Amino acid sequence: MDAHQLIQLFEQSPVVIPRKLFTDARRLDLSPVEFSLIVHLLEMAGEGIVMPLPSELGKRLNVSENEARSVLLGLLQKELIAIDASSDGERYSLLPLFEALQGEEKVAPQQTLNENIIHTFEREFGTITPFEIEQIVGWMTEDGFSEELIMAALREAKLRNVRNFKYMDKILRVWQDHHVESLEDVVEYQRRTK
């Protein structure tokens, strides 16, 4: 391959990466794998792949599907990526990342999501969608539900043989309205309502 062909190879479909992503990666608490995954999301969006599966990302990152899923969950939990749902389907949005890059404040590390919670949901529901994963993350980050409370709602739904996210969300909202914040509170609430 001559120099001209080599230059053409590198000029084909460049991926534009904001300089601020490089300079603010530490402030945003991005690990090297998270940084790389963001770059791949940018690159894949350029290819028209707006909702890559964890298996596809894993292949590109040279990591397992589970690790790719875990990195995605971390970015969702840090609120640096989001899942947009529209009539065209679901897509990963980097808008939260770009908004965070615009700001100067330090992004506070949040409670890490235990990947086992996702595996437990997959065992109960089968494969869960990225939108459902985002809902689990939202319950923890936006609504402040503890992992143990979410798991208790899953057990409650399972006992009633109603395995869907809307029912679980309803359980969590009722508990929230009754100030149920721990497993002890769940037991006490169930005792009072029987």
Side-chain angles (χ1 to χ4, degrees):
M1 183 177 287
D2 68 10
H4 182 69
Q5 289 173 318
L6 192 59
I7 290 171
Q8 282 183 327
L9 175 71
F10 284 102
E11 288 178 343
Q12 284 180 332
S13 304
V15 177
V16 178
I17 303 168
R19 174 172 279 124
K20 200 149 172 59
L21 183 58
F22 288 97
T23 60
D24 287 18
R26 176 173 279 172
R27 177 179 65 83
L28 296 176
D29 195 31
L30 287 177
S31 72
V33 177
E34 288 172 327
F35 183 92
S36 185
L37 187 135
I38 288 168
V39 171
H40 281 284
L41 287 175
L42 286 166
E43 190 266 333
M44 293 172 96
E47 294 176 16
I49 304 169
V50 294
M51 193 71 183
L53 298 172
S55 58
E56 294 172 298
L57 288 165
K59 286 178 187 170
R60 291 191 185 217
L61 291 166
N62 196 27
V63 298
S64 70
E65 178 180 344
N66 285 338
E67 187 174 350
R69 180 182 291 115
S70 178
V71 173
L72 278 169
L73 289 172
L75 290 170
L76 283 165
Q77 190 171 14
K78 288 179 182 180
E79 297 179 355
L80 293 176
I81 64 172
I83 298 173
D84 287 341
S86 69
S87 58
D88 298 336
E90 295 177 341
R91 66 178 294 131
Y92 287 113
S93 169
L94 294 174
L95 182 61
L97 171 69
F98 298 140
E99 289 173 344
L101 287 172
Q102 243 183 338
E104 295 299 323
E105 71 281 349
K106 169 86 172 106
V107 175
Q110 298 176 344
Q111 170 192 358
T112 58
L113 179 65
N114 181 348
E115 193 176 330
N116 290 333
I117 194 171
I118 300 302
H119 292 300
T120 302
F121 272 85
E122 286 178 335
R123 225 179 10 259
E124 295 301 325
F125 290 98
T127 303
I128 58 177
T129 68
F131 189 73
E132 291 167 332
I133 292 172
E134 186 178 39
Q135 184 166 17
I136 296 167
V137 170
W139 284 333
M140 293 180 75
T141 58
E142 295 167 21
D143 301 321
F145 295 120
S146 68
E147 188 174 314
E148 71 176 2
L149 211 56
I150 294 168
M151 295 305 290
L154 176 61
R155 284 190 293 279
E156 181 74 19
K158 184 178 173 183
L159 284 172
R160 301 202 185 275
N161 204 24
V162 183
R163 295 181 182 151
N164 68 54
F165 277 76
K166 284 184 181 182
Y167 186 73
M168 283 192 56
D169 189 61
K170 182 67 176 170
I171 290 170
L172 289 167
R173 301 294 166 207
V174 167
W175 287 351
Q176 187 177 45
D177 291 344
H178 290 89
H179 308 290
V180 174
E181 298 174 356
S182 68
L183 291 180
E184 294 81 20
D185 293 343
V186 170
V187 171
E188 177 62 26
Y189 173 76
Q190 290 172 336
R191 188 187 61 71
R192 283 192 324 255
T193 57
K194 281 190 177 180

Coordinates of all heavy atoms in Angstrom, one line a residue, residues 17 24 26 53 57 59 131 150 190:
I17 N -14.4 13.4 17.4 CA -14.4 13.2 18.9 C -14.2 14.6 19.5 O -13.1 15.2 19.2 CB -13.4 12.2 19.4 CG1 -13.6 10.8 18.7 CG2 -13.5 12.0 20.9 CD1 -12.5 9.9 18.9
D24 N -11.8 16.4 29.6 CA -12.7 16.3 30.8 C -13.0 14.9 31.2 O -13.8 14.7 32.1 CB -14.0 17.1 30.5 CG -13.8 18.6 30.6 OD1 -12.7 19.0 30.4 OD2 -14.8 19.3 30.7
R26 N -11.4 12.8 33.0 CA -11.2 12.6 34.5 C -12.3 13.2 35.3 O -12.8 12.6 36.2 CB -9.8 13.1 34.9 CG -9.6 12.9 36.4 CD -8.2 13.3 36.8 NE -7.4 12.1 36.5 CZ -6.1 12.0 36.6 NH1 -5.4 13.1 36.9 NH2 -5.4 10.9 36.3
L53 N -26.2 -3.6 20.2 CA -26.3 -4.6 21.3 C -25.0 -4.7 22.1 O -23.9 -4.4 21.5 CB -26.7 -6.0 20.7 CG -28.0 -6.1 19.9 CD1 -28.1 -7.5 19.3 CD2 -29.1 -5.9 20.9
L57 N -21.0 -4.3 20.8 CA -20.0 -3.4 21.4 C -18.9 -4.2 22.0 O -17.7 -3.8 22.0 CB -20.7 -2.6 22.5 CG -21.6 -1.5 22.0 CD1 -22.5 -0.9 23.1 CD2 -20.8 -0.3 21.4
K59 N -17.6 -7.0 20.9 CA -16.7 -7.4 19.9 C -15.8 -6.2 19.5 O -14.6 -6.4 19.3 CB -17.5 -7.9 18.6 CG -18.1 -9.2 18.8 CD -18.9 -9.6 17.6 CE -19.6 -10.9 17.9 NZ -20.6 -11.3 16.9
F131 N -34.3 -0.2 27.3 CA -35.2 0.7 27.9 C -35.5 0.2 29.3 O -35.6 1.0 30.2 CB -36.5 0.8 27.0 CG -37.4 1.9 27.5 CD1 -37.1 3.2 27.3 CD2 -38.6 1.6 28.2 CE1 -37.9 4.2 27.8 CE2 -39.4 2.6 28.6 CZ -39.1 3.9 28.4
I150 N -35.8 -2.7 45.2 CA -36.1 -3.1 43.9 C -36.3 -4.7 43.8 O -37.2 -5.2 43.2 CB -35.1 -2.6 42.9 CG1 -35.2 -1.1 42.8 CG2 -35.3 -3.2 41.5 CD1 -34.0 -0.4 42.1
Q190 N -46.5 -4.7 54.8 CA -47.3 -5.8 54.4 C -48.1 -6.3 55.6 O -49.3 -6.7 55.5 CB -46.4 -7.0 53.9 CG -45.9 -6.6 52.5 CD -44.9 -7.6 52.0 OE1 -44.2 -8.3 52.8 NE2 -44.7 -7.6 50.7

